[in-house]
Amino acid sequence: MTQAPGIAGLRFLVVEDHEFQRWAMGNVLESLGAKYVFSAGDGRAALEILRGLDDPIDIVISDLDMPGMDGMELIRHLGESGGNPSLILASSLDRALVASVETMAKVYGVALLGAIQKPVTARVLQALIDEHRAGPDVARTPAAARIFTVEEVLEGLQRGQFEPFFQPKVEMCSGAVKGAEALARWRHPAEGVIGAVSFIPLLERSGHIAAFTEMMVKSAAACCQAWRELGYEAGLSLNLSPETLADVDLSDQMVRLVLAQGLVPQDVIFEVTESAMAANLGRALENLSRLRMKGFGLSIDDYGTGYSSMQQLARIAFTELKIDQAFVRNAADQEPSRAMLESSLEIAGKLRIAAVAEGVESREEWDLLRDLGCDFAQGYYVAKPMESSAFLGWLGARNVVV
């Protein structure tokens, strides 16, 4: 097999209690060109190695069922330690159980590359290593090399350093671009492009999210009007935070902002998560109802991840249902995710609202969703989030159906 460029510089830690399987995994890694491979018999030994090395481990490849400290406890320690090695799970356990551990790893903040069944093949392992070497994209894992203060964020806002990036939403039956989601990015003069996780929570906690939301709506709406003037009819989607949903003047403000940029409410969809609605349910219901009455579209984001998503669908006149990417990504090989995906599509169909699949990253996922009758797709398989000028260029170059 051809050696993947750059793999020789990566440092691996294989955590496996069976000596032969540790040796076999090391051999596979060496056949791919790895030069630095460490091994441990359980989680405790792995932590000792991680703490004792001068240079950090890049990728941990771990079994789950081990005596002593098992793989799940190791994952917890990796997440709580704040270390940043990527993780590959290698296990022969039931796929549904492994899927639960995958979810757990993500909750702990571990950079999970994927889970593979034993025996591990070089082809499958190299594909996951390539994911690590590709590096985290700012849209997926926003850069947060250091913690920012509220003052720094507000200074950036005052200096006009924040802008919307746009990720297209494509109609699956035709491949036509029907819309784009505006995602906040900070073009930091020293740190580069920084994703929303690094600044939105700060703005929400400090009470400054209203001014930021106004800036984002105004900027994104202006960009949308610019591509519409060029003949592209794609609409605009924007996210609303819990604090924004508590403002009783929200709908009037949103109407004023979009009209000022030459759009009408029917051009814009506001996306809200279940947790955003739950924070102040009475005001959220009032605001969402009024936004819908004014003509805006409403989308329930990350559908299927909350405890009462179906109840929210019954309460509010949503026009769109966005299916969480976890169900999309795992639908091909996990029965629970496949069932959740099919159920979500069925509910959207019965309610006569659009179904949008988030996080579509492969042709396999695209084909499955299309076969199941999903209306729209959004994700890296279509395009990554782009700055406004790049999005316009992408629209102009796009002349074939996906």
Side-chain angles (χ1 to χ4, degrees):
M1 179 172 291
T2 303
Q3 176 180 329
I7 194 172
L10 296 178
R11 299 164 69 83
F12 297 87
L13 173 58
V14 178
V15 189
E16 167 64 61
D17 62 310
H18 289 97
E19 185 175 354
F20 175 78
Q21 293 190 31
R22 281 202 307 274
W23 173 82
M25 182 70 76
N27 270 5
V28 172
L29 288 168
E30 289 173 4
S31 75
L32 294 174
K35 301 295 184 184
Y36 307 101
V37 180
F38 302 85
S39 63
D42 70 354
R44 186 167 288 105
L47 290 177
E48 290 176 0
I49 291 173
L50 289 168
R51 292 164 182 156
L53 291 174
D54 293 329
D55 296 318
I57 291 292
D58 296 292
I59 299 177
V60 175
I61 304 172
S62 180
D63 191 10
L64 293 176
D65 187 11
M66 297 178 289
M69 183 187 292
D70 61 24
M72 287 171 280
E73 186 175 352
L74 173 61
I75 291 169
R76 169 161 52 82
H77 284 289
L78 289 175
E80 292 177 348
S81 69
N84 59 354
S86 294
L87 174 68
I88 296 173
L89 299 177
S91 176
S92 56
L93 293 175
D94 179 76
R95 189 68 190 89
L97 174 56
V98 175
S100 297
V101 178
E102 289 183 72
T103 302
M104 182 198 79
K106 294 172 185 175
V107 170
Y108 277 128
V110 176
L112 180 67
L113 298 178
I116 49 182
Q117 289 285 312
K118 296 178 181 179
V120 175
T121 66
R123 179 183 61 83
V124 173
L125 189 57
Q126 181 168 316
L128 294 180
I129 294 170
D130 287 344
E131 286 287 319
H132 170 87
R133 294 199 345 271
D137 185 88
V138 294
R140 274 181 171 174
T141 311
R146 63 181 179 83
I147 303 299
F148 295 98
T149 65
V150 174
E151 289 73 23
E152 288 175 304
V153 175
L154 293 177
E155 182 181 357
L157 184 59
Q158 185 178 13
R159 293 177 179 273
Q161 295 171 355
F162 292 88
E163 64 185 274
F165 274 39
F166 298 95
Q167 186 169 38
K169 180 170 65 178
V170 171
E171 186 176 49
M172 302 206 71
C173 65
S174 67
V177 182
K178 294 298 185 179
E181 181 180 357
L183 300 164
R185 296 290 181 262
W186 183 4
R187 200 177 289 277
H188 194 282
E191 304 289 339
V193 179
I194 297 171
V197 156
S198 295
F199 53 85
I200 291 293
L202 276 174
L203 290 166
E204 290 176 335
R205 290 195 299 268
S206 62
H208 293 94
I209 194 63
F212 185 85
T213 300
E214 180 174 350
M215 180 278 299
M216 271 293 293
V217 173
K218 189 183 300 182
S219 299
C223 292
C224 180
Q225 177 60 13
W227 71 60
R228 282 175 167 256
E229 288 176 354
L230 293 173
Y232 304 112
E233 292 302 314
L236 178 67
S237 294
L238 291 146
N239 294 282
L240 292 179
S241 72
E243 287 73 14
T244 304
L245 282 176
D247 181 359
V248 293
D249 297 322
L250 177 65
S251 63
D252 289 338
Q253 181 189 29
M254 294 301 109
V255 170
R256 175 177 55 81
L257 289 172
V258 300
L259 290 178
Q261 302 304 321
L263 300 182
V264 295
Q266 288 77 9
D267 297 326
V268 178
I269 297 173
F270 286 114
E271 300 186 8
V272 292
T273 62
E274 182 184 336
S275 59
M277 290 180 278
N280 192 328
L281 185 57
R283 289 200 175 191
L285 290 172
E286 178 183 349
N287 275 318
L288 292 171
S289 298
R290 191 170 287 118
L291 285 168
R292 187 72 195 99
M293 185 174 64
K294 300 285 188 182
F296 292 102
L298 296 178
S299 176
I300 182 167
D301 200 6
D302 299 335
Y303 181 77
T305 60
Y307 293 108
S308 55
S309 296
M310 292 183 68
Q311 185 180 40
Q312 303 296 7
L313 278 174
R315 284 172 168 167
I316 300 165
F318 285 104
T319 58
E320 181 182 275
L321 183 156
K322 294 194 82 171
I323 303 168
D324 187 72
Q325 60 184 348
F327 302 119
V328 173
R329 185 173 302 125
N330 298 322
D333 56 2
Q334 294 181 20
E335 284 300 321
S337 293
R338 172 70 174 256
M340 191 67 202
L341 174 59
E342 292 178 345
S343 173
S344 300
L345 293 172
E346 182 180 2
I347 288 171
K350 288 183 175 180
L351 293 176
R352 298 179 183 176
I353 63 177
V356 182
E358 295 186 286
V360 181
E361 298 191 352
S362 68
R363 182 79 202 199
E364 180 185 23
E365 292 170 356
W366 173 278
D367 289 343
L368 174 61
L369 288 161
R370 185 182 56 193
D371 292 345
L372 291 175
C374 187
D375 300 305
F376 300 98
Q378 183 180 330
Y380 279 32
Y381 181 67
V382 177
K384 296 180 180 181
M386 297 167 273
E387 60 185 336
S388 179
S389 59
F391 179 64
L392 272 175
W394 181 87
L395 282 173
R398 185 182 174 82
N399 56 12
V400 295
V401 175
V402 175

